[in-house]
Amino acid sequence: AQRVTQPEKLLSVFKGAPVELKCNYSYSGSPELFWYVQYSRQRLQLLLRHISRESIKGFTADLNKGETSFHLKKPFAQEEDSAMYYCALGGLRGGKLIFGQGTELSVKP
Amino acid sequence: NAGVMQNPRHLVRRRGQEARLRCSPMKGHSHVYWYRQLPEEGLKFMVYLQKENIIDESGMPKERFSAEFPKEGPSILRIQQVVRGDSAAYFCASSTGTDLNEQFFGPGTRLTVL
């Protein structure tokens, strides 16, 4: 069965500290992984996807097929990074996305 | 481009009533997805539609829920005879269907069933 797991419900760090939001997936096919972010009072928006290999707002994520992980990392967290982060699995029939439960990132000054 | 529009943003219904949620996709997008987010949970896929066609409804509850995306007008998610367990945030997303899985989300409709 297809599944996405984000083990941390809440992650709290201080400004300038490194941050890693964990995401593990379960899928027997060829996965497409995404990170979506939802800032306070805003809609869900795409942060990055593994096929583009981009760094957005200083965030990166590497797909590790051996460990079935797609962890989101940033070397120096900023207060404006505080938001809900959702990992999502795509590449499924019809284009639907399977979301993890989300991790709330709180960056303290 | 105003982005994906959903209305109403908040909807309150009593048990047994009907709820109608509307989604207008981004201009040029012909693919619409509905997701539901129950309290303390992630978004869960419900249904995928293209104009006048339901492509995948594998996430839809078998009863009381239906969706449509007519040739003209918004996509509608209809919930008949609502129960308290239907209280959730319902999100719509749209895509062109060509840019692999890039879905653009609306602000959501928060349904509260009293």
Side-chain angles (χ1 to χ4, degrees), chain A residues 9 32 34 36 38 43-44 46 49 51 86 90-91 93-97 99-101, chain B residues 3-4 33 35 37 40-43 45 48 56 58 99-103 105-107:
Chain A
K9 201 170 177 179
E32 293 163 21
F34 305 82
Y36 279 82
Q38 186 172 30
R43 61 186 68 192
L44 205 65
L46 180 65
R49 48 186 167 176
I51 57 170
Y86 294 95
R93 184 176 66 90
K96 67 184 179 186
L97 296 172
F99 283 87
Q101 290 181 296
Chain B
V4 179
Y33 302 81
Y35 295 85
Q37 185 176 33
E40 306 294 320
E41 294 187 17
L43 283 75
F45 168 78
Y48 162 42
D56 181 356
S58 59
D99 191 357
L100 205 61
N101 276 334
E102 175 134 25
Q103 296 180 20
F105 281 79

Side-chain angles (χ1 to χ4, degrees), chain A residues 14-63:
Chain A
F14 286 102
K15 178 182 171 182
V19 63
E20 181 180 53
L21 288 79
K22 291 185 167 47
C23 172
N24 288 89
Y25 66 91
S26 173
Y27 181 47
S28 57
S30 183
E32 293 163 21
L33 274 299
F34 305 82
W35 277 99
Y36 279 82
V37 61
Q38 186 172 30
Y39 300 103
S40 179
R41 300 183 189 282
Q42 294 186 27
R43 61 186 68 192
L44 205 65
Q45 55 187 284
L46 180 65
L47 179 63
L48 55 79
R49 48 186 167 176
H50 87 272
I51 57 170
S52 62
R53 295 184 173 272
E54 291 175 302
S55 172
I56 306 293
K57 300 185 179 184
F59 285 97
T60 59
D62 291 316
L63 177 60

Side-chain angles (χ1 to χ4, degrees), chain B residues 35-83:
Chain B
Y35 295 85
R36 177 168 66 173
Q37 185 176 33
L38 295 169
E40 306 294 320
E41 294 187 17
L43 283 75
K44 289 201 166 30
F45 168 78
M46 299 181 75
V47 63
Y48 162 42
L49 311 101
Q50 293 179 22
K51 283 286 187 182
E52 299 185 277
N53 286 306
I54 297 175
I55 307 301
D56 181 356
E57 55 183 348
S58 59
M60 287 278 269
K62 293 287 185 282
E63 297 175 350
R64 301 187 298 107
F65 285 72
S66 62
E68 62 178 13
F69 189 16
K71 189 176 179 181
E72 301 290 338
S75 175
I76 306 283
L77 179 68
R78 183 185 296 128
I79 312 172
Q80 296 178 301
Q81 299 175 325
V82 295
V83 301

